[in-house]
Amino acid sequence: MLTLDINGKKFETDAEPDTPLLWVLRDHLGLTGSKYGCGKALCGACTVHVDGTATRSCVLPVSAAAAMKITTIEAIGNSTVGKAVQDAWVAENVPQCGYCQSGQVMSATALLTTNKKPTDADIDAAMSGNICRCATYVRIRSAIKRAASALV
């Protein structure tokens, strides 16, 4: 049995140690906010925070995350930064199909947690690898800037 610290709660799982964290979250624990996109850490749909760092959960073995604090989209709004990002996402009407949005929000929150005044280049760097099939990148950038201004 592995014990995981997810969203401030302890969960036990009998998943195989090499099972990707994404599948443990979704299939074993019912936390379905993180999405499967590519399975190769290329699209960002599965992004969660592991010890505060935006991490692709589709390639992270659950055994590697067992000693770390994991935050998923289900709890990101409990932090000041996460709430500001979610509010900005709504205000800027970012989602279109919505599939990638949990990963986008998680990456944006990680950025603004460490950099309250990101430049366009900072935003581009932090959000690279988060693919939006609907191409809402302009609204994503606007939402990040709105959230940043709300945090200052």
Side-chain angles (χ1 to χ4, degrees), residues 2 4-5 12 14-15 21 30 41 45-46 66-67 71 78 82 86 101 117 119 129 134 140 149 151:
L2 290 172
L4 301 172
D5 183 341
E12 288 195 352
D14 61 355
L21 176 60
C46 67
T71 304
N78 295 339
Q86 287 180 327
Q101 295 306 305
K117 295 182 180 183
T119 64
C134 302
I140 289 168
S149 67
L151 293 168

Side-chain angles (χ1 to χ4, degrees), residues 9 12 16 36 43 51 93 96 104 117 138:
K9 297 177 184 169
E12 288 195 352
E16 293 295 321
Y36 174 80
C43 74
D51 282 347
N93 197 26
Q96 191 162 320
Q104 302 278 2
K117 295 182 180 183
V138 172

Side-chain angles (χ1 to χ4, degrees), residues 47-71:
T47 302
V48 298
H49 291 180
V50 177
D51 282 347
T53 301
T55 304
R56 305 303 197 241
S57 64
C58 70
V59 295
L60 181 68
V62 68
S63 58
M68 302 176 179
K69 293 186 183 305
I70 302 161
T71 304

